[in-house]
């Protein structure tokens, strides 16, 4: 138990930088809902004067209203 507590204290925080909730539909029979979480990249590449290249990671889960379609997506943008 003590070891587990010490390990949790030594790991870096994985705080969420952004969150999105999307809903949409076509007609009364079809709709989707999606929840997404975003984390910013810690590294900045090709830094210039007043600009840099960066990005974020996106984890999202979506479900259709009928439950017949599910999606789990992990992407770096």
């Amino acid at each position: 138990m003590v070891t587990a507590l010490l390990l949790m204290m030594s790991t870096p925080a994985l705080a969420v930088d952004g969150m999105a909730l999307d809903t949409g539909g076509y007609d009364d029979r079809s709709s989707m809902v999606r929840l997404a979480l975003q984390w910013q990249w810690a590294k900045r590449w090709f830094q210039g004067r007043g600009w840099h290249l960066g990005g974020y990671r996106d984890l999202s889960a979506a479900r259709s209203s009928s439950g017949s379609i599910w999606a789990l997506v992990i992407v770096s943008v």
Side-chain angles (χ1 to χ4, degrees):
M1 177 80 169
V2 173
T3 304
L5 289 173
L6 290 173
L7 287 173
M8 287 189 307
M9 290 172 31
S10 67
T11 58
L14 297 174
V16 173
D17 294 315
M19 184 170 67
L21 177 64
D22 303 322
T23 62
Y26 176 70
D27 56 23
D28 292 340
R29 295 173 290 160
S30 62
S31 63
M32 295 281 294
V33 64
R34 181 181 79 98
L35 175 64
L37 305 173
Q38 293 89 27
W39 291 269
Q40 294 291 326
W41 289 350
K43 185 169 178 137
R44 292 182 175 193
W45 292 319
F46 306 113
Q47 283 189 296
R49 294 182 183 173
W51 68 275
H52 70 274
L53 178 63
Y56 63 93
R57 289 183 177 84
D58 183 278
L59 169 66
S60 64
R63 179 182 179 269
S64 67
S65 59
S66 66
S68 61
I69 300 173
W70 283 84
L72 179 62
V73 179
I74 301 170
V75 65
S76 289
V77 180

